[in-house]
PDB file of all heavy atoms in Angstrom:
ATOM      1  N   LEU A 104     -17.197   7.775 -10.305  1.00  0.00           N
ATOM      2  CA  LEU A 104     -18.174   7.254 -11.154  1.00  0.00           C
ATOM      3  C   LEU A 104     -18.148   7.974 -12.425  1.00  0.00           C
ATOM      4  O   LEU A 104     -18.519   9.135 -12.485  1.00  0.00           O
ATOM      5  CB  LEU A 104     -19.495   7.342 -10.522  1.00  0.00           C
ATOM      6  CG  LEU A 104     -19.793   6.638  -9.232  1.00  0.00           C
ATOM      7  CD1 LEU A 104     -21.152   6.891  -8.599  1.00  0.00           C
ATOM      8  CD2 LEU A 104     -19.540   5.036  -9.356  1.00  0.00           C
ATOM      9  N   PRO A 105     -17.596   7.269 -13.483  1.00  0.00           N
ATOM     10  CA  PRO A 105     -17.686   8.014 -14.921  1.00  0.00           C
ATOM     11  C   PRO A 105     -19.129   8.304 -15.292  1.00  0.00           C
ATOM     12  O   PRO A 105     -20.065   7.725 -15.121  1.00  0.00           O
ATOM     13  CB  PRO A 105     -17.013   6.938 -15.755  1.00  0.00           C
ATOM     14  CG  PRO A 105     -16.339   5.939 -14.858  1.00  0.00           C
ATOM     15  CD  PRO A 105     -17.205   5.835 -13.604  1.00  0.00           C
ATOM     16  N   SER A 106     -19.213   9.302 -16.083  1.00  0.00           N
ATOM     17  CA  SER A 106     -20.405   9.933 -16.699  1.00  0.00           C
ATOM     18  C   SER A 106     -20.920   8.684 -17.643  1.00  0.00           C
ATOM     19  O   SER A 106     -20.199   8.077 -18.451  1.00  0.00           O
ATOM     20  CB  SER A 106     -20.339  11.104 -17.473  1.00  0.00           C
ATOM     21  OG  SER A 106     -21.415  11.444 -18.281  1.00  0.00           O
ATOM     22  N   ALA A 107     -22.282   8.452 -17.657  1.00  0.00           N
ATOM     23  CA  ALA A 107     -22.806   7.549 -18.630  1.00  0.00           C
ATOM     24  C   ALA A 107     -23.219   8.211 -19.967  1.00  0.00           C
ATOM     25  O   ALA A 107     -23.637   7.613 -20.825  1.00  0.00           O
ATOM     26  CB  ALA A 107     -24.137   6.863 -18.044  1.00  0.00           C
ATOM     27  N   THR A 108     -23.115   9.562 -19.967  1.00  0.00           N
ATOM     28  CA  THR A 108     -23.568  10.145 -21.199  1.00  0.00           C
ATOM     29  C   THR A 108     -22.631  11.168 -21.882  1.00  0.00           C
ATOM     30  O   THR A 108     -22.698  11.413 -23.014  1.00  0.00           O
ATOM     31  CB  THR A 108     -24.835  11.070 -20.808  1.00  0.00           C
ATOM     32  OG1 THR A 108     -24.490  12.063 -19.764  1.00  0.00           O
ATOM     33  CG2 THR A 108     -25.988  10.179 -20.340  1.00  0.00           C
ATOM     34  N   ASP A 109     -21.553  11.616 -20.986  1.00  0.00           N
ATOM     35  CA  ASP A 109     -20.625  12.538 -21.600  1.00  0.00           C
ATOM     36  C   ASP A 109     -19.222  11.693 -21.755  1.00  0.00           C
ATOM     37  O   ASP A 109     -18.543  11.452 -20.886  1.00  0.00           O
ATOM     38  CB  ASP A 109     -20.348  13.545 -20.632  1.00  0.00           C
ATOM     39  CG  ASP A 109     -19.288  14.767 -21.068  1.00  0.00           C
ATOM     40  OD1 ASP A 109     -18.573  14.347 -21.798  1.00  0.00           O
ATOM     41  OD2 ASP A 109     -19.550  15.912 -20.615  1.00  0.00           O
ATOM     42  N   LEU A 110     -18.931  11.206 -23.000  1.00  0.00           N
ATOM     43  CA  LEU A 110     -17.824  10.412 -23.253  1.00  0.00           C
ATOM     44  C   LEU A 110     -16.452  11.193 -22.891  1.00  0.00           C
ATOM     45  O   LEU A 110     -15.702  10.494 -22.253  1.00  0.00           O
ATOM     46  CB  LEU A 110     -17.818  10.038 -24.751  1.00  0.00           C
ATOM     47  CG  LEU A 110     -18.911   8.982 -25.100  1.00  0.00           C
ATOM     48  CD1 LEU A 110     -18.636   8.588 -26.501  1.00  0.00           C
ATOM     49  CD2 LEU A 110     -18.846   7.796 -24.255  1.00  0.00           C
ATOM     50  N   PRO A 111     -16.171  12.396 -23.354  1.00  0.00           N
ATOM     51  CA  PRO A 111     -14.914  12.999 -22.819  1.00  0.00           C
ATOM     52  C   PRO A 111     -14.923  13.085 -21.288  1.00  0.00           C
ATOM     53  O   PRO A 111     -13.709  12.831 -20.785  1.00  0.00           O
ATOM     54  CB  PRO A 111     -15.060  14.442 -23.443  1.00  0.00           C
ATOM     55  CG  PRO A 111     -15.948  14.290 -24.613  1.00  0.00           C
ATOM     56  CD  PRO A 111     -17.011  13.167 -24.179  1.00  0.00           C
ATOM     57  N   ALA A 112     -15.932  13.419 -20.598  1.00  0.00           N
ATOM     58  CA  ALA A 112     -15.791  13.362 -19.180  1.00  0.00           C
ATOM     59  C   ALA A 112     -15.656  12.086 -18.579  1.00  0.00           C
ATOM     60  O   ALA A 112     -14.804  11.757 -17.608  1.00  0.00           O
ATOM     61  CB  ALA A 112     -17.089  13.979 -18.568  1.00  0.00           C
ATOM     62  N   ALA A 113     -16.142  11.025 -19.166  1.00  0.00           N
ATOM     63  CA  ALA A 113     -16.121   9.638 -18.705  1.00  0.00           C
ATOM     64  C   ALA A 113     -14.575   9.115 -18.865  1.00  0.00           C
ATOM     65  O   ALA A 113     -13.940   8.486 -18.162  1.00  0.00           O
ATOM     66  CB  ALA A 113     -17.006   8.654 -19.401  1.00  0.00           C
TER      67      ALA A 113
END
Side-chain angles (χ1 to χ4, degrees):
L104 296 177
S106 171
T108 57
D109 185 334
L110 291 185

